[in-house]
């Protein structure tokens, strides 16, 4: 079902009124006049824009259009997480300003430095040999293991979550979201929920977890080194294996069926990229964590992604987004449900 044609499709001008943003930039000492604003990135949740003001290039992150009751706080929280991570070994963009005033652009937002580079989705950049895939995978796993070693207290990241009960909270939260987001019956997701509840492992460690750690959420320099990790809106204190399970579940291999999430990392189907098992083994070597329960965490990742995407599909149906990626979720969410259910059978 397409968006209601009687509702205006969201536009850059609606999401970021340039005149008002220009006045704000002048107040904080970043040029004067109306900036040039354009959407960037492959993200489909919080909205991301490149803002050019004179010689300055900034990134603006704001909540999606529509009901801001929950997401408005998330974008400011994400900005504060980036500020806390700035003192660690994890590469993140520098936050330049947090704006809590809805009157500036119609929602809270933050501004960060623009980090140039490559975000991989379908193909390697021109001139990169297939063997680069091995290096990229190694750096990705090393960065994830480094994140999970960050001292929560010293960094201040302990303020962004509770150290216990993470898995139980995830199941409660996403079970509620399943009921809230559903636009049609999704019995396979209900079956996966029941399986997750019946087979929940005990968390053996606590760390700061990204919540959406995948290849498409890092920027790579021309030397294939990671220069920034992006999209921290779901980050919290929790179980580090949830991040690993998400990374491996979303890592596309050559024979995998197409889903909305594997489409975001199609490049890893190609030659030169190691498989999921190799990623997991490297992480285990670096972290010392057991992989025995990894299939459960991979199932959790697929189930959560399907529920989250169903919410995106609801926004599309209600005319709150014209994102073409959301339009494909009519069939895409059931495909994710199939993938999650299949993972329970192989666990």
């Amino acid at each position: 079902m397409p968006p209601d044609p009687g509702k205006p499709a969201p536009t850059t001008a609606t999401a970021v009124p340039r005149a008002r943003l220009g006045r704000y930039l002048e107040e904080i000492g970043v040029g004067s006049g109306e900036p040039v604003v354009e959407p960037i990135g492959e993200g489909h949740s919080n909205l991301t824009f490149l803002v050019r003001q004179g010689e300055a290039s900034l990134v603006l992150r704001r909540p999606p259009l529509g009901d801001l009751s929950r997401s408005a706080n998330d974008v400011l929280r994400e900005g504060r997480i980036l500020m806390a991570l700035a003192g660690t070994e994890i590469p993140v963009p520098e936050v330049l300003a947090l704006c809590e005033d809805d009157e500036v652009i119609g929602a809270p937002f933050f501004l960060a430095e623009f980090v140039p580079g490559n975000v991989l989705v379908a193909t390697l950049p021109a001139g990169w040999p297939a063997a680069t895939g091995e290096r990229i995978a190694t750096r990705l796993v090393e960065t994830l293991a480094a994140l999970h070693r960050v001292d929560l207290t010293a960094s201040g990241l302990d303020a962004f979550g509770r150290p216990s009960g993470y898995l139980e909270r995830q199941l409660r939260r996403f079970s509620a979201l399943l009921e809230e987001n559903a636009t049609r019956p999704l019995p396979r997701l209900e079956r996966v929920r029941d399986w997750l509840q019946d087979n929940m492992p005990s968390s053996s460690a606590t760390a700061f977890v990204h919540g959406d750690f995948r290849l498409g959420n890092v920027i790579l320099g021309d030397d294939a080194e990671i220069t920034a990790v992006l999209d921290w809106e779901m980050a919290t204190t929790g179980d580090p294996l949830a991040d690993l399970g998400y990374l491996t579940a979303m890592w596309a291999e050559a024979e995998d069926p197409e889903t909305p999430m594997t489409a975001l990392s199609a490049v890893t189907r190609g030659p030169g990229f190691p498989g999921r098992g190799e990623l997991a083994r490297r992480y285990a070597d670096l972290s010392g964590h057991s992989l025995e329960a990894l299939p459960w965490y991979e199932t959790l990742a697929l189930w959560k992604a399907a529920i989250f995407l169903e919410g995106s599909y609801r926004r599309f149906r209600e005319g709150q987004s014209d994102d073409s990626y959301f339009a494909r979720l009519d069939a895409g969410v059931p495909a994710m449900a199939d993938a999650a259910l299949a993972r329970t059978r192989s666990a």
Side-chain angles (χ1 to χ4, degrees):
M1 176 180 174
D4 184 344
K7 298 181 180 179
T11 65
T12 299
T14 303
V16 186
R18 292 187 302 163
R20 284 187 279 166
L21 177 62
R23 289 191 290 271
Y24 176 81
L25 292 175
E26 186 171 1
E27 289 174 5
I28 65 172
V30 184
S32 61
E34 287 194 8
V36 176
V37 181
E38 58 185 277
I40 57 170
E42 294 291 329
H44 303 280
S45 181
N46 280 343
L47 306 180
T48 309
F49 298 90
L50 176 61
V51 177
R52 292 191 177 95
Q53 183 72 301
E55 296 183 358
S57 293
L58 312 173
V59 171
L60 183 150
R61 287 272 281 176
R62 61 149 291 160
L65 299 175
D67 180 13
L68 301 181
S69 58
R70 182 176 304 163
S71 59
N73 292 328
D74 288 349
V75 76
L76 294 177
R77 180 179 180 274
E78 181 182 13
R80 294 184 179 105
I81 286 171
L82 288 173
M83 295 169 73
L85 285 162
T88 73
E89 63 181 301
I90 307 304
V92 293
E94 179 186 359
V95 174
L96 305 174
L98 284 173
C99 181
E100 302 183 37
D101 185 358
D102 290 4
E103 297 301 316
V104 177
I105 67 167
F109 65 94
F110 70 83
L111 293 168
E113 68 169 328
F114 172 69
V115 180
N118 306 279
V119 176
L120 304 191
V121 179
T123 60
L124 288 173
W128 287 24
T132 311
E134 180 77 22
R135 181 176 182 179
I136 293 168
T138 297
R139 295 295 181 266
L140 201 61
V141 173
E142 288 174 345
T143 301
L144 184 61
L147 171 63
H148 295 160
R149 291 194 301 269
V150 170
D151 187 303
L152 295 173
T153 304
S155 64
L157 291 169
D158 56 348
F160 298 99
R162 288 175 284 168
S164 61
Y166 171 78
L167 297 180
E168 291 85 353
R169 289 196 302 276
Q170 290 288 290
L171 287 182
R172 285 197 303 271
R173 178 189 176 196
F174 279 86
S175 293
L177 283 177
L178 177 56
E179 295 184 12
E180 179 182 325
N181 290 347
T183 64
R184 60 279 179 74
L186 295 166
R188 283 165 290 186
L189 290 182
E190 294 173 358
R191 289 170 60 188
V192 174
R193 175 200 60 204
D194 294 343
W195 182 89
L196 289 167
Q197 290 173 337
D198 292 342
N199 294 276
M200 184 188 304
S202 298
S203 294
S204 58
T206 298
F208 197 70
V209 298
H210 182 281
D212 192 12
F213 193 86
R214 56 185 178 83
L215 180 57
N217 276 338
V218 302
I219 296 176
L220 300 170
D222 291 336
D223 57 358
E225 294 292 327
I226 295 175
T227 56
V229 181
L230 309 175
D231 288 2
W232 294 85
E233 62 201 83
M234 298 179 71
T236 188
T237 304
D239 187 328
L241 287 179
D243 266 350
L244 178 63
Y246 188 88
L247 173 62
T248 54
M250 305 305 160
W251 188 266
E253 295 185 347
E255 303 303 319
D256 287 342
E258 185 79 0
T259 72
M261 295 307 296
T262 57
L264 297 179
S265 62
V267 64
T268 62
R269 294 180 184 270
F273 282 91
R276 285 186 289 266
E278 181 60 26
L279 262 65
R281 285 188 290 273
R282 292 180 188 179
Y283 176 85
D285 289 343
L286 290 168
S287 68
H289 294 312
S290 169
L291 301 179
E292 181 179 358
L294 183 59
W296 187 94
Y297 290 93
E298 292 176 333
T299 304
L300 175 69
L302 293 165
W303 178 72
K304 287 169 54 179
I307 293 169
F308 195 76
L309 291 174
E310 180 71 0
S312 299
Y313 182 56
R314 173 179 285 279
R315 284 173 46 217
F316 174 80
R317 284 170 53 100
E318 293 175 351
Q320 296 180 27
S321 173
D322 60 356
D323 191 326
S324 61
Y325 178 80
F326 292 170
R328 300 192 294 272
L329 296 179
D330 181 31
V333 170
M336 290 293 297
D338 286 341
L341 191 59
R343 199 61 58 96
T344 70
R345 297 174 182 138
S346 62

